[in-house]
Amino acid sequence: MCRRLPTLVLCSWAPLWGCADPGGEGGGADSGTGGAGPDIVDVQLERSEVVPTVATVRWTTREPSTGAVQFWEQGGDGVRSVASAMASTSHEVVLVGLPEVVDAQARVEATDATGTSRSEVLDFETGALAAAVPRPVLEGDAEGSLGGYTLAPVSALSVVPTRYLTVVDPAGRLVWAWGGEGLETQRGRLTHDGQGVVIMDAEMEGAGMDLVRVDWDGTERWRLPVPRAHHDFDLVDDETFVVLRSDVREAELAGQVVSLAGDAVVELGLDGQERELWNTWDHYTPSETDRIGAPAEGDDVREWSHGNFVELHPDTGQLDFTLRNLSVAGGVEAATGAQRWLLRGGPGTGVPLENPHSAWPTDEGLLVFDQADYEAGGCSRVKRLVGDLPAGQAEEVWSYDGEACFSVFYLGNAQVLAEGRMLVGWGSSGVVDEADLWTGAREWRLRWPAETWVLYVERVDTLGPPAP
């Protein structure tokens, strides 16, 4: 659950095999505080050369102990510490969550049967992320936000286009960024072990995308090619994923046989196993009245359904998705693929969906991001729908336009937060809002520079592994 947090306080534990960093700045050694608890020996702090807001702290104890690191921005109000449950004499912790170019402090704690000892405080400074990474501007007060961190992939449309997965704190400050000219991403997800992220990256040599595991220190751990996958993905666990995959078949339209790309929702793993959970072709038949895209240059396949969003909700076991070109939103059981509900909008349907780009369940229905008809200058909106979703019925009871007309032609999504809030990414308009889910009152806004798109955004409570 999202909650109000002191600015930038987080500690995360990494096992010995993860997050090693060869560069950075060395810290000093400390012999412990004496008395109860193990002796803490040779404390070292190294800043990552790839992501210089991230630091790794290493230390040893003469006897096996558990450990943790408290760390904070100097002048900050709070401290957070997450301990390791594994007893060892060698320890390593990765610090993530501090903004760039700030003075910070850290202190090691070690615990064994005799008690807890603490090292002296280490002073260090976080480094600056790459100058090419777009920085947002906070409009208003950081206290308006529930807190937590916002995962915001961004695309800078400069002379040499670049994309990055960034992480932003409530004050609008960058705390993490990874990418550059070679990254073609739209989404990043936190790993379940808390050691980093999985990022989608388009394949350069063929149709599809890669899933890329990146640790917090910037180390790329593995890369999984997923042919014909596109737009979005989610994690079942750190080795199992759900993706949208194109399913090309022939169909007759206007007396001609054409190749059309529908969409399948597929679960797949690092081990190569996969299973199909849902398929557009099982539920809809192509029609001349459908909005069908033109084929890409050098290709004869036309885009039919345009799947564009998937979200797995572990608490309910439901997997939601949207198909923009068909104005469809649906939900299935992630474990079995059984359909829970399916809505299709468009003329004559009575369902208020028009180019949906995300769908998120609420206590009484659904929160949908609708791009609307951007080609005609239509204003994109977030809609709250209620009705009998399993029966394919829904009506709009409320909408949010961000107090402006954002005509979003690329991406955009909305997430339900705690305490009756929602997070809204306005895609190609380069704005992210946090607003009241029931009244539309805007509480917090980030705005990126002109010619910057913000892609699929997500709010998370903390960075790093969960507490043991």
Side-chain angles (χ1 to χ4, degrees), residues 100-119:
E100 54 183 346
V101 196
V102 297
D103 293 324
Q105 294 179 312
R107 181 173 60 200
V108 173
E109 290 186 346
T111 302
D112 64 9
T114 67
T116 297
S117 57
R118 295 173 178 83
S119 74

Side-chain angles (χ1 to χ4, degrees), residues 86-350:
M86 297 178 60
S88 177
T89 58
S90 297
H91 303 267
E92 181 175 291
V93 167
V94 175
L95 313 183
V96 57
L98 292 167
E100 54 183 346
V101 196
V102 297
D103 293 324
Q105 294 179 312
R107 181 173 60 200
V108 173
E109 290 186 346
T111 302
D112 64 9
T114 67
T116 297
S117 57
R118 295 173 178 83
S119 74
E120 295 179 353
V121 171
L122 298 173
D123 295 311
F124 67 103
E125 181 183 22
T126 61
L129 296 165
V133 182
R135 271 79 169 169
V137 174
L138 174 67
E139 296 184 1
D141 191 341
E143 293 300 319
S145 174
L146 289 177
Y149 296 86
T150 302
L151 274 63
V154 292
S155 176
L157 307 178
S158 56
V159 176
V160 180
T162 57
R163 293 198 183 193
Y164 295 87
L165 175 61
T166 68
V167 182
V168 185
D169 75 359
R173 301 179 296 180
L174 291 183
V175 306
W176 197 84
W178 191 88
E181 295 179 26
L183 183 65
E184 183 66 23
T185 191
Q186 296 184 156
R187 169 79 84 173
R189 304 278 193 176
L190 295 185
T191 59
H192 289 210
D193 65 11
Q195 306 294 347
V197 290
V198 176
I199 305 173
M200 66 164 289
D201 185 16
E203 288 189 47
M204 297 294 101
E205 302 299 328
M209 68 182 184
D210 291 351
L211 296 178
V212 187
R213 168 67 187 259
V214 180
D215 287 342
W216 289 123
D217 70 347
T219 301
E220 182 178 320
R221 185 182 295 184
W222 52 252
R223 181 175 287 262
L224 174 67
V226 189
R228 296 182 288 115
H230 62 93
H231 272 83
D232 203 6
F233 77 100
D234 205 348
L235 276 68
V236 178
D237 55 46
D238 287 344
E239 296 186 351
T240 313
F241 316 96
V242 176
V243 301
L244 290 164
R245 171 178 282 171
S246 295
D247 184 355
V248 178
R249 303 185 188 184
E250 291 187 341
E252 185 173 330
L253 287 178
Q256 294 185 331
V257 176
V258 296
S259 295
L260 298 180
D263 281 286
V265 182
V266 179
E267 180 185 281
L268 53 87
L270 284 176
D271 59 3
Q273 298 294 314
E274 63 178 62
R275 63 188 180 106
E276 185 174 282
L277 300 177
W278 192 90
N279 195 305
T280 311
W281 293 96
D282 295 336
H283 299 270
Y284 299 105
T285 300
S287 167
E288 296 173 29
T289 60
D290 292 342
R291 178 185 175 184
I292 298 177
E297 185 177 352
D299 196 356
D300 62 354
V301 177
R302 304 179 66 185
E303 187 178 54
W304 173 40
S305 55
H306 190 91
N308 53 9
F309 171 85
V310 290
E311 185 74 32
L312 176 61
H313 302 275
D315 54 338
T316 63
Q318 180 167 294
L319 176 70
D320 297 325
F321 60 90
T322 57
L323 311 174
R324 189 192 70 181
N325 282 12
L326 297 182
S327 290
V328 164
V332 300
E333 291 182 2
T336 65
Q339 185 170 288
R340 290 187 175 180
W341 60 275
L342 191 66
L343 297 176
R344 184 172 189 183
T349 65

Side-chain angles (χ1 to χ4, degrees), residues 1-9 77-80 141-149 170 417-421 434-436 441-444 459-462:
M1 178 179 293
C2 289
R3 58 193 182 281
R4 298 185 187 277
L5 296 174
T7 303
L8 300 165
V9 286
D77 295 330
V79 176
R80 184 170 176 190
D141 191 341
E143 293 300 319
S145 174
L146 289 177
Y149 296 86
L417 304 178
E419 299 184 28
R421 296 281 187 92
E434 185 179 324
D436 190 282
R442 194 179 78 231
E443 306 289 349
W444 180 85
R459 177 66 57 77
V460 298
D461 292 336
T462 61

Side-chain angles (χ1 to χ4, degrees), residues 367 382 398 400 415 417 421-424 433-437:
L367 188 74
V382 180
W398 174 90
Y400 174 74
Q415 173 188 359
L417 304 178
R421 296 281 187 92
M422 64 179 179
L423 185 75
V424 182
D433 286 343
E434 185 179 324
D436 190 282
L437 182 62

